[in-house]
Amino acid sequence: RPILDMSYSRHFLDFQGSSIPSSMKKLVVTKLSQNFREAVTLQQDSPVPLPGDGDLLVRNRFVGINASDINYSAGRYDSSVKPPFDTGFEGIGDVVALGLSASAHYTVGQAVAYVKAGSFAEYTVVPAKHAVPLPSVKPEFLTLMVSGATAYISLKELGELSEGKKVLVTAAAGGTGQFAVQLAKKAKCHVIGTCSSDEKGGFLKSIGCDCTINYKTESVESVLRKDYPEGVDVVYESVGGKMFDLALNSLATKGRLIIIGFITGYQSPTGLSPIKAELLPAKLLKKSASIRGFFLNHYLSEYQMALKHLLEMYEKGDLVCEVDFGDMSPEGKFIGLESVFRAVDYMYMGKNIGKIVVELPHSVNSKL
């Protein structure tokens, strides 16, 4: 029998008086559907998982909402995975138990963040090597894990930003758009941001956006044609559909369009909004322009470096990490796993300013 086995982790379960229940709530995809409410079920009494030798058991305090939560629960990322499976991509919380190897680098009570499927749960087992130690459990740190890293790495690897370049960010006041705006400004670019309200426009101005376009009250196409007749050099695009067509037509000679998503189509059966793609080769050729897709999972070799840099910027006060807890939503702040459904709806209605985060309060008796 091996010296180390799963039972070892039980030695840590009551360490420092941490009261860990035997069961928990979590969200599980029970049916593949582009309708998140149809796809996902809140399970009330799932067993709390045990950490293995190299794992941490994290009590989640905040979880992040991502546009791709819909793609995941619709089964679009990996068609071989069949329900039921856990959902949610990122969390931040306290280490409440850990395996022996993991204890070399982590302690009970430590604040950590992580990116791993299964964060929409009260407790998540996270491999220690994938956890990010943090000075404290602050929701602002969570904004950097997926949203901030996506903006940082995509612009660094694909954007070729330099002083004076014109950068268009669509859905600029959203979870990842806020970082694209700030990082492009730090590269001394001229930044244009599209948004859906004057309130969002005010937020964008506050983080350095040079020009904001409210697409509900203005024609984005007309503004770009009038104010930027030569076109824009880089587009950070996450909307898709008509906005993609518009952004493509607005590219300057040698312009680059980076696709990080196409949220307008995620709730459709195919996951796509129609675009006028038949003219694409001619449009690109005419301008020597390019389109690049960016999926964070393909750039994980850059991830630790990006996150380190982003954390340093935030700690120094050089980066705004706007969090939206849904205080302005009809039913109020997003608290508890039950509110994840509302939070996803809120995002798809385009209401959020910054990253949508759900708080998970814990009534368990804990001395941590």
Side-chain angles (χ1 to χ4, degrees):
R1 176 180 168 180
I3 295 170
L4 279 177
D5 63 15
M6 284 293 286
S7 64
Y8 183 85
S9 59
R10 289 184 180 276
H11 292 300
F12 289 84
L13 290 183
D14 289 312
F15 189 59
Q16 288 190 354
S18 169
S19 175
I20 301 172
S22 57
S23 64
M24 66 173 186
K25 294 179 184 176
K26 71 173 179 176
L27 294 185
V28 177
V29 177
T30 48
K31 171 190 171 187
L32 297 182
S33 169
Q34 69 274 10
N35 181 326
F36 190 81
R37 287 178 180 271
E38 283 183 11
V40 177
T41 303
L42 175 62
Q43 295 190 348
Q44 299 281 355
D45 55 355
S46 296
V48 172
L50 279 175
D53 174 53
D55 297 331
L56 312 173
L57 180 65
V58 178
R59 183 182 66 186
N60 293 316
R61 297 267 299 280
F62 300 100
V63 293
I65 304 294
N66 292 286
S68 46
D69 289 328
I70 292 266
N71 278 341
Y72 194 61
S73 58
R76 292 186 184 127
Y77 287 147
D78 186 350
S79 55
S80 67
V81 178
K82 303 296 181 221
F85 55 87
D86 297 346
T87 186
F89 287 127
E90 56 186 343
I92 179 171
D94 310 296
V95 175
V96 292
L98 69 174
L100 181 59
S101 297
S103 68
H105 302 286
Y106 289 91
T107 60
V108 165
Q110 191 163 356
V112 294
Y114 64 89
V115 176
K116 176 183 179 285
S119 71
F120 291 164
E122 291 180 313
Y123 296 85
T124 302
V125 167
V126 179
K129 63 184 178 184
H130 294 153
V132 179
L134 296 172
S136 61
V137 176
K138 283 174 74 172
E140 286 78 9
F141 291 126
L142 189 58
T143 66
L144 303 175
M145 300 301 293
V146 171
S147 301
T150 295
Y152 185 97
I153 300 171
S154 64
L155 290 173
K156 177 175 175 286
E157 296 292 316
L158 310 178
E160 297 175 34
L161 301 184
S162 59
E163 187 171 352
K165 295 284 187 191
K166 299 178 191 70
V167 179
L168 171 64
V169 180
T170 64
T176 188
Q178 64 171 329
F179 294 110
V181 168
Q182 293 178 80
L183 294 169
K185 281 305 296 178
K186 293 201 183 309
K188 299 183 177 174
C189 297
H190 178 93
V191 183
I192 309 131
T194 71
C195 61
S196 61
S197 72
D198 291 342
E199 187 190 1
K200 290 184 179 187
F203 166 67
L204 289 173
K205 287 276 171 65
S206 77
I207 59 171
C209 207
D210 297 286
C211 167
T212 62
I213 308 173
N214 179 347
Y215 64 80
K216 293 280 179 74
T217 59
E218 303 173 85
S219 162
V220 178
E221 189 173 14
S222 300
V223 173
L224 290 175
R225 194 184 296 129
K226 173 174 161 288
D227 294 346
Y228 305 94
E230 299 294 310
V232 296
D233 301 295
V234 179
V235 181
Y236 185 85
E237 217 296 271
S238 62
V239 176
K242 291 176 183 172
M243 187 64 82
F244 171 86
D245 288 328
L246 199 151
L248 176 68
N249 293 338
S250 303
L251 281 177
T253 301
K254 296 185 183 176
R256 295 172 295 287
L257 193 156
I258 304 169
I259 300 173
I260 63 117
F262 28 89
I263 190 172
T264 52
Y266 288 172
Q267 290 179 303
S268 70
T270 61
L272 295 163
S273 293
I275 58 169
K276 297 172 183 171
E278 64 274 8
L279 299 174
L280 192 59
K283 287 179 177 179
L284 294 178
L285 180 63
K286 182 180 173 185
K287 294 178 176 176
S288 292
S290 62
I291 298 176
R292 295 288 298 270
F294 178 87
F295 188 43
L296 185 60
N297 289 12
H298 298 148
Y299 288 85
L300 293 181
S301 59
E302 304 291 312
Y303 185 77
Q304 293 294 340
M305 172 277 301
L307 205 55
K308 182 171 179 284
H309 197 172
L310 288 165
L311 285 165
E312 285 171 359
M313 288 170 72
Y314 173 69
E315 293 279 80
K316 280 195 274 184
D318 290 340
L319 197 64
V320 173
C321 298
E322 189 70 15
V323 174
D324 191 331
F325 279 118
D327 294 289
M328 306 307 291
S329 67
E331 294 172 56
K333 189 173 178 180
F334 303 131
I335 296 180
L337 287 171
E338 304 80 3
S339 67
V340 167
F341 299 98
R342 283 200 299 121
V344 169
D345 291 342
Y346 182 74
M347 174 177 55
Y348 278 93
M349 288 188 287
K351 300 292 188 187
N352 57 300
I353 296 181
K355 173 85 179 181
I356 301 176
V357 173
V358 175
E359 182 176 356
L360 304 186
H362 281 269
S363 57
V364 294
N365 173 32
S366 174
K367 298 174 189 167
L368 290 181

